[in-house]
Amino acid sequence: TYTVQQLIDTETLALNVLSWDLSFGPSPADFLQYFAGQLEMDKEKQQGFVFQFADRLIQLSLYELPLFEQFDASLIAASAIFA
């Protein structure tokens, strides 16, 4: 078994070796949750068709990342909601 510190050290080493930059901003999915709150959508509506459709559109945008990376995450989320 490994200690917690050994796991942390190994993860830190891996991140340093691979030069991972984990300082990215909020994703379109984060904004989708935020907008749902601003639109005062309750949990039932968030699980409804519009929210699921918007979430799926956001997921599909990941397949075309070179095209969509030029847009802000908030714009992608808003576009998915109102599509």
Side-chain angles (χ1 to χ4, degrees), residues 5-37:
Q5 190 58 48
Q6 287 174 318
L7 289 173
I8 291 171
D9 292 342
T10 303
E11 289 178 358
T12 303
L13 175 65
L15 290 172
N16 288 333
V17 167
L18 297 174
S19 299
W20 286 14
D21 181 10
L22 300 178
S23 61
F24 53 86
S27 71
D30 295 326
F31 277 103
L32 186 61
Q33 292 290 331
Y34 172 76
F35 291 150

Side-chain angles (χ1 to χ4, degrees), residues 31-70:
F31 277 103
L32 186 61
Q33 292 290 331
Y34 172 76
F35 291 150
Q38 293 302 306
L39 295 171
E40 298 181 359
M41 297 176 77
D42 57 23
K43 290 291 182 188
E44 184 177 310
K45 287 183 181 177
Q46 287 184 22
Q47 294 172 355
F49 176 76
V50 173
F51 188 82
Q52 288 180 358
F53 183 72
D55 187 53
R56 183 66 180 138
L57 284 176
I58 289 171
Q59 291 174 17
L60 289 172
S61 74
L62 295 174
Y63 289 109
E64 300 294 334
L65 193 56
L67 174 66
F68 285 96
E69 69 183 353
Q70 64 182 322

